[in-house]
Amino acid sequence: QVRFVESGGGLVQPGGSLRLSCVASGFDFSAHVMDWYRQAPGQERKEIARIIQGGDRTWLEGSAKGRFTISRDDSRNTLYLQMNNLKAEDTAVYYCNSPLPTGQDYPWGQGTRVTVFT
């Protein structure tokens, strides 16, 4: 059974940094593309970052470019999101997942909450 456990969220002031982690289990992590998503209050969950197998290529959603970095450690089955210069609009619950060819998703984890407060 595929499982994702996200951690690293918290309260931070604008301009601060956080490093999120996602530990995956139940599948061959190194063979999968991995994504970070976030769901802000009152909004739908949306993808903000992607990293391919091996980590050679990444994609970041517009507002994340220049501030966030996605990376992976296949030896630890762990996905990371380094978030710098955080803004109030980054407040959300952050999730990881991996895209399936069918277009469906693996079961979602609990997510990790990030709150940027003034």
Side-chain angles (χ1 to χ4, degrees):
Q1 180 179 350
V2 176
R3 185 175 180 225
F4 303 112
V5 179
E6 301 91 347
S7 64
L11 299 174
V12 63
Q13 291 183 328
S17 297
L18 286 172
R19 188 193 195 201
L20 307 185
S21 299
C22 163
V23 178
S25 61
F27 72 157
D28 184 358
F29 179 80
S30 66
H32 283 74
V33 171
M34 292 297 301
D35 296 326
W36 280 104
Y37 294 77
R38 69 183 178 190
Q39 186 168 18
Q43 298 184 23
E44 293 186 350
R45 184 159 43 205
K46 71 171 187 176
E47 183 181 1
I48 61 167
R50 170 169 286 190
I51 187 167
I52 67 167
Q53 299 92 328
D56 291 341
R57 284 191 295 163
T58 63
W59 168 85
L60 292 167
E61 182 266 340
S63 67
K65 288 181 181 178
R67 300 188 300 127
F68 294 4
T69 303
I70 184 172
S71 62
R72 62 193 297 159
D73 184 343
D74 290 344
S75 69
R76 297 176 182 270
N77 285 0
T78 302
L79 178 72
Y80 300 102
L81 187 68
Q82 177 67 43
M83 305 190 297
N84 298 327
N85 190 22
L86 283 161
K87 304 176 181 181
E89 52 264 41
D90 296 318
T91 294
V93 180
Y94 286 71
Y95 303 86
C96 64
N97 212 309
S98 182
L100 285 165
T102 58
Q104 295 177 312
D105 300 302
Y106 288 107
W108 294 92
Q110 298 269 11
T112 186
R113 184 175 299 276
V114 172
T115 303
V116 184
F117 68 100
T118 57

